[in-house]
Amino acid sequence: MSIEVLASEPHYLDHLQPVIAALPDGYARLTSSARDLSGDVPVLVASWKDYQATRRSHAPVIFSEHGVGYTYQGDHRAYAGGPGRDRVVLFLNANAHVAARNQESYPHAAHALTGSPRLDVLASIPQARTTVTFSWHWDCRVTPETRTAFPHYKQHLKHLTGELAGHAHPRAWAMVTPTYQRLGWAIQRTFLDVVEQAALYVCDTSSTIYEAAALGIPVVVLNSPRYRRDVHHGLRFWRDIPGPQVDHPSELARTIDEALTRDTWVEERHRVTELLYPHRGQAAARAADAIRSIAG
């Protein structure tokens, strides 16, 4: 063993498991609890939450984002470039956007531009493409733009027809499951299920919007009245959006139908994918090489 890996929630592990698999057998020891860390070797994490949990061990930290690298005005500590990550010795940066933020804030740490190891895995999943799949962010109160749009659309979902399915951020399942069950929608519990089955992915705000687009799945992006058009965080708000946007529930059915029958966003999906996902198919190996250069 040369590193330990802390992943306290499944969606953090989704991003770290491909990296673990790319390391030599026995090189990494995985745990879901910081209490199990030895404190003697570097710790790989994929979230601010797990970074905080390592403070008792005083071990150096290797930090990988668990998404495309959303950032919000105000430099919140949970997002790339945010304060408080002084024990990070290596940042595994998914793209140039993330790298620029982290390098500016932590110029003395090592930085590797790796791409997304998770996308390597998702790209290997066969796609049946049969459902229109909805997904919602959890109601995160960091900014209005991190909040869910679910309440804005909830009462209008019953008017939709076709083969519909529901997905959600892991922290949003309690919010959306009763509605999915009442509507009789299929539930796609993991994003692997979404990738396998979705012909169209409809979502408010999530890195999965960009993952779906990178895999060639058309997306429709749902706006909430809470989202401020005069505040520009980058990426989803409001620059690199890889599909049509819906502002009002009355536009939803028409936009879905147009996305299914006349996909005009192929070139834009490709542009955004090239911007945000470098080194596709090699990301896990690049991350593993960077870790070994630090941990030995």
Side-chain angles (χ1 to χ4, degrees):
M1 178 187 71
S2 294
I3 66 166
E4 294 178 311
V5 181
L6 176 61
S8 63
E9 298 192 43
H11 58 299
Y12 303 154
L13 182 58
D14 286 345
H15 290 270
L16 296 179
Q17 191 67 62
V19 180
I20 297 171
L23 290 165
D25 290 346
Y27 190 93
R29 184 177 73 87
L30 173 65
T31 180
S32 61
S33 173
R35 292 189 298 270
D36 295 332
L37 296 174
S38 68
D40 297 327
V41 296
V43 181
L44 172 62
V45 302
S47 70
W48 166 254
K49 174 185 174 182
D50 287 349
Y51 173 83
Q52 283 185 300
T54 68
R55 65 188 183 276
R56 295 177 182 173
S57 75
H58 303 291
V61 176
I62 300 168
F63 200 108
S64 175
E65 298 295 329
H66 65 274
V68 73
Y70 280 114
T71 53
Y72 299 93
Q73 289 183 350
D75 292 327
H76 191 278
R77 63 187 61 224
Y79 302 100
R85 303 182 182 189
D86 301 293
R87 286 186 297 107
V88 176
V89 295
L90 170 64
F91 287 92
L92 302 176
N93 298 308
N95 51 56
H97 171 74
V98 174
R101 293 292 295 255
N102 285 331
Q103 287 171 343
E104 180 179 5
S105 298
Y106 302 99
H108 301 298
H111 295 266
L113 183 61
T114 62
S116 170
R118 170 174 152 95
L119 191 65
D120 290 355
V121 174
L122 296 175
S124 68
I125 299 173
Q127 297 181 25
R129 299 202 177 186
T130 58
T131 65
V132 174
T133 298
F134 281 75
S135 187
W136 311 91
H137 200 247
W138 67 290
D139 203 27
C140 175
R141 304 300 179 97
V142 170
T143 73
E145 291 72 42
T146 58
R147 299 193 65 180
T148 182
F150 182 66
H152 186 50
Y153 295 91
K154 177 180 176 181
Q155 298 304 321
H156 299 266
L157 299 178
K158 62 187 175 184
H159 301 301
L160 300 176
T161 60
E163 191 169 343
L164 302 166
H167 179 64
H169 185 283
R171 296 181 182 175
W173 279 110
M175 174 181 71
V176 303
T177 298
T179 297
Y180 290 163
Q181 291 175 335
R182 184 173 65 254
L183 295 172
W185 288 11
I187 291 179
Q188 294 171 355
R189 182 63 61 176
T190 73
F191 192 65
L192 275 67
D193 296 328
V194 175
V195 171
E196 185 178 62
Q197 300 173 47
L200 180 69
Y201 187 57
V202 186
C203 185
D204 49 5
T205 177
S206 169
S207 293
T208 56
I209 292 169
Y210 293 96
E211 290 172 340
L215 297 169
I217 301 170
V219 300
V220 168
V221 181
L222 304 179
N223 292 325
S224 163
R226 296 188 180 109
Y227 301 163
R228 300 163 294 177
R229 289 287 186 155
D230 61 340
V231 176
H232 296 269
H233 302 294
L235 300 183
R236 163 73 175 86
F237 303 103
W238 298 91
R239 188 178 60 208
D240 297 306
I241 305 175
Q245 300 177 68
V246 174
D247 293 318
H248 191 275
S250 63
E251 306 166 1
L252 187 55
R254 173 181 54 80
T255 306
I256 288 173
D257 182 66
E258 289 178 356
L260 286 171
T261 59
R262 189 165 55 89
D263 180 13
T264 60
W265 286 80
V266 175
E267 290 186 7
E268 184 64 6
R269 288 199 301 272
H270 177 74
R271 183 191 71 80
V272 173
T273 296
E274 291 295 311
L275 178 70
L276 297 180
Y277 292 110
H279 309 300
R280 293 186 299 280
Q282 304 170 23
R286 290 178 66 88
D289 287 345
I291 290 170
R292 295 185 71 183
S293 71
I294 291 292

